[in-house]
Amino acid sequence: MYRGILATIVVIGSLLVTASFAYIVNPGPVVNATVGGVWPRPKYLRSTDNYFLIDPKNFSILPVENTCDILDKAITRYIKIIQSTVHSPIYYPHVVHNGSGTNVTPAQILSSLKVNLTSPCEQKPHLKMDEWYFLSTSGTIISHSIWGVLRALETFSQLVTPYENQMLRVTETHIRDEPRFPHRGLLVDTSRHYISKDILFRILDGMAYNKLNVFHWHIVDDHSFPYVSKKFPELSAKGAFRPEMIYTQKDVADVIEYARIRGIRVIPEFDVPGHTRSWGVSHPEVLTQCEGSYQGLMGPMNPIKDVTYQFIDELFREVQEVFPDQYIHVGGDEVGFECWNSSTEIVDYMKKNNISSFSFLQKNFMEKVTRSVTALDNIPIVWQEAMVENVDMPPGTIVQVWTGDWRVLLFMFTKAGHRALMSECWYLDHLENGGDWKKYYNCEPLDFIGSEEQKKLILGGEACMWAEVVSDRNILQRIFPRSSAAAERLWSPQHTRNFVEAQQRLEEHVCRMNLRGIPAQPANGPGIC
Ligand SMILES: *[C@@H]1O[C@H](CO)[C@@H](O)[C@H](O)[C@H]1NC(C)=O
Ligand SMILES: *[C@@H]1O[C@H](CO)[C@@H](O)[C@H](O)[C@H]1NC(C)=O
Ligand SMILES: *[C@@H]1O[C@H](CO)[C@@H](O)[C@H](O)[C@H]1NC(C)=O
Ligand SMILES: *[C@@H]1O[C@H](CO)[C@@H](O)[C@H](O)[C@H]1NC(C)=O
Ligand SMILES: *[C@@H]1O[C@H](CO)[C@@H](O)[C@H](O)[C@H]1NC(C)=O
Ligand SMILES: *[C@@H]1O[C@H](CO)[C@@H](O)[C@H](O)[C@H]1NC(C)=O
């Protein structure tokens, strides 16, 4: 369809100009959207020719066993979403049946969806949460955990499409579903640009629509320190871009709560010892004062001073209280060794202590930091560099792979018995022309050589939204639907790889997200949404 048949090349002097391309195209979208297609694709789904009609003004979602605040709030949200579906631009062409010569049974009215939650609600989402559910659109959800119920409601809402006369329609469908990986994350960097709380909420909404379940909050970095610490308020007072570009304790609690009721964990990252320049505005004593040709600059944290470790320990004590998740990300990436190398006291210290390389010095640093995290009963996550020197990390430490040959790295880390997360192929700041979600969709985290035992150590992965060139004004468009590709890879069975089928569902999913207030960018080219 996109067959260029003529390319006229005009040569003007020495200038080569492509003057015109002519195409033969059909009118209409390049990819037709599905109607009621589910994203990410469920594990088992069976539909019939029958369908039910829903009167959006007379439809309820009813807990029939356990319930709790999380379920009550989800019901309120999803009733609104279902009602708003009457405005969806994606619907079946209305067929008038004349009563004979058709095997379609007259549509029944579905007036309620019964939610059978077989166990009491858990209060907070966690790595091992159970997200399994059964859904029949004839009116039943069964799940053994509140988290499965949330996923089921999302699926149900996606199956509902407009019908005539302000009614809705849902095809008779039976689904048994659960995710392939337990850790399906999105990293959001709020240091390179400040992202307001309202936009963070919308990102969390979008994550719920894609069944992503970990919000990795890369909350501070070199350029700004927006987190308002209780113990060290000077960090943000001096390190934020502007006095109002901060996250107060209430803001942080609001984000965690907004995520919790959507079954999304919030894992904070306080990256050390590199990426800490903004900490030094108020606490220069914890950074390295560079010398020589870097005189006057401050580098990574000073690894040879006790005060550095005391400071980190005190801050992490607070972070552990503020963020309820058991995991905390302590960074460990991209440490610039030039400044350490320029510092006389550091070089002397290394000589005295027989430390032969800077990466060994970094390894010692990360060992100390991860041990203090473990002492607080948390489990650390680190970037790959922290592990490369075969660091003796506390058991359970998770390593996140983001650069280099990920197949080799995943082999190496899992061989050493570490659990790992894939991010390398899901960098959302790496833009390409057109529907570049395809490259994210094709990435398969288990596609490395290793034993079954090694593959079990892959917990999932994270799409990463670094914020050098995104702000409140474009971050949602950049994240969605490009992260949706990673979301399906991490949720759906490994064999879900039919790209032609996927692009039709994604075409609809973009329309759906748009209707729900997420300005997701077009997925595939010319089309309705
Ligand atoms: C989309 O559907 C219409 C109507 O069925 C059809 O004419 C058109 O060829 C389809 N477009 C594509 C790209 O498949
Ligand atoms: C709502 O649906 C129920 C069950 O189908 C029906 O009995 C009732 O009359 C309906 N109410 C309205 C206002 O349509
Ligand atoms: C339905 O029946 C009417 C009258 O019997 C006829 O004119 C019309 O073409 C039929 N429509 C369809 C879709 O078969
Ligand atoms: C909920 O599901 C369980 C397990 O399938 C079943 O035993 C129970 O009767 C169901 N409850 C209701 C109210 O349907
Ligand atoms: C450290 O600095 C010296 C010069 O002062 C240089 O020769 C050496 O290559 C540097 N080492 C590293 C690892 O940067
Ligand atoms: C210093 O380290 C080297 C290699 O790591 C080792 O061979 C040597 O014995 C060490 N020397 C001392 C004094 O510890």
Side-chain angles (χ1 to χ4, degrees), residues 93-106:
H94 298 137
V95 184
V96 180
H97 295 294
N98 267 3
S100 63
T102 162
N103 56 6
V104 177
T105 45

Side-chain angles (χ1 to χ4, degrees), residues 337-338 341-342 358:
F337 294 144
E338 308 88 334
N341 192 19
S342 77
F358 291 104

Side-chain angles (χ1 to χ4, degrees), residues 38-46 131-134 155 174-181 211 488 490-496 505:
V38 180
W39 192 282
R41 194 180 161 83
K43 192 170 181 179
Y44 300 108
L45 178 150
R46 198 169 48 81
E131 294 170 284
W132 178 91
Y133 67 89
F134 166 81
T155 300
H174 304 279
I175 292 175
R176 281 171 207 280
D177 198 13
E178 66 186 336
R180 178 152 75 112
F181 292 104
K211 300 193 173 85
E488 176 151 303
L490 291 167
W491 177 282
S492 306
Q494 191 167 1
H495 59 75
T496 312
R505 265 184 304 112

